[in-house]
Amino acid sequence: LAKTTQPISMDSYEGQEVNITCSHNNIATNDYITWYQQFPSQGPRFIIQGYKTKVTNEVASLFIPADRKSSTLSLPRVSLSDTAVYYCLVGEVNQGGKLIFGQGTELSVKP
Amino acid sequence: EAGVAQSPRYKIIEKRQSVAFWCNPISGHATLYWYQQILGQGPKLLIQFQNNGVVDDSQLPKDRFSAERLKGVDSTLKIQPAKLEDSAVYLCASSLVPRGGETQYFGPGTRLLVL
């Protein structure tokens, strides 16, 4: 399984766009990139998943360059409620569902 | 759609005691996972079930931890005897199919404190 590296923490202000970059140099051909969000006292929640280029949903965008060695989760116009830990995971689609969580990025949004 | 249910939400026990956690996955989800999340760390997979069979329990400390999913629906995770280092949040998750990266739906977790 590919190892991921992401910043331990980030600070932002309400209304700003936040970009969290994840490095996964050893990503394999069959690996997908998935991001989860976790609020205090709750389980992680799926945000977005992609394989290459750009994926967008109602919550976030995921940018994946051609070499797929990194990815960037983009949160548009964050609010205080976006304060959470964000995990980047890389895993093979047919690997039986195994998710390897790293330490995550603790995002703090200030007023 | 009801989410993943877990109970109890909190549990405090003394070391060497036993404890059990219960999980009810989302209806129709064949795959069930138990994770351990120590404070400040990401969740770590303990065991994965596909229906009532174990798919992966490579990181389950089998000398003290056990888990079962007898009818392919609910699951219980037991610790016997508990150690101080077992203090953590135990998360249950389920997914429709056992594919890597497939969306997993997590319950609220059970926070265990071992004194």
Side-chain angles (χ1 to χ4, degrees):
Chain A
L1 293 168
K3 178 180 168 62
T4 61
T5 303
Q6 49 184 126
I8 298 292
S9 63
M10 293 182 68
D11 290 332
S12 182
Y13 291 93
E14 281 190 294
Q16 288 187 331
E17 177 185 73
V18 171
N19 296 308
I20 305 175
T21 297
C22 179
S23 173
H24 29 80
N25 292 319
N26 296 323
I27 191 168
T29 303
N30 292 332
D31 285 346
Y32 274 69
I33 300 155
T34 309
W35 286 80
Y36 276 77
Q37 173 192 54
Q38 186 175 26
F39 297 114
S41 300
Q42 294 186 26
R45 182 182 73 160
F46 172 87
I47 301 177
I48 197 165
Q49 182 182 78
Y51 184 80
K52 62 180 179 181
T53 62
K54 176 184 175 182
V55 179
T56 297
N57 61 23
E58 65 278 6
V59 177
S61 293
L62 179 59
F63 298 92
I64 306 168
D67 66 4
R68 304 200 325 123
K69 293 184 182 299
S70 66
S71 59
T72 299
L73 174 72
S74 181
L75 304 172
R77 300 181 59 79
V78 294
S79 64
L80 296 176
S81 62
D82 292 316
T83 295
V85 178
Y86 293 82
Y87 294 98
C88 164
L89 300 97
V90 172
E92 184 179 342
V93 170
N94 295 317
Q95 199 174 16
K98 191 166 186 173
L99 294 180
I100 305 294
F101 286 82
Q103 194 165 2
T105 296
E106 187 170 4
L107 173 66
S108 177
V109 180
K110 302 174 182 178
Chain B
E1 177 182 84
V4 176
Q6 291 188 247
S7 68
R9 291 296 312 274
Y10 305 93
K11 190 73 177 180
I12 301 174
I13 62 173
E14 295 186 349
K15 60 182 179 183
R16 291 188 289 274
Q17 285 187 324
S18 302
V19 65
F21 313 126
W22 173 82
C23 173
N24 179 238
I26 292 173
S27 177
H29 281 196
T31 311
L32 184 146
Y33 314 79
W34 283 102
Y35 290 84
Q36 179 193 57
Q37 185 171 25
I38 293 172
L39 187 65
Q41 299 180 18
K44 181 184 82 171
L45 179 69
L46 292 176
I47 188 167
Q48 176 185 343
F49 291 95
Q50 175 63 16
N51 295 310
N52 61 348
V54 175
V55 174
D56 183 350
D57 62 357
S58 57
Q59 297 201 84
L60 186 74
K62 299 179 185 63
D63 58 334
R64 299 183 299 105
F65 286 66
S66 64
E68 59 184 12
R69 195 184 183 199
L70 292 176
K71 297 183 179 179
V73 181
D74 293 4
S75 176
T76 56
L77 176 70
K78 297 178 182 178
I79 308 175
Q80 179 180 9
K83 293 185 176 182
L84 297 178
E85 58 262 36
D86 297 331
S87 293
V89 176
Y90 291 86
L91 295 161
C92 179
S94 70
S95 64
L96 195 57
V97 293
R99 288 166 60 85
E102 177 68 23
T103 302
Q104 293 186 18
Y105 296 87
F106 285 79
T110 295
R111 187 175 298 274
L112 173 67
L113 179 61
V114 182
L115 301 175

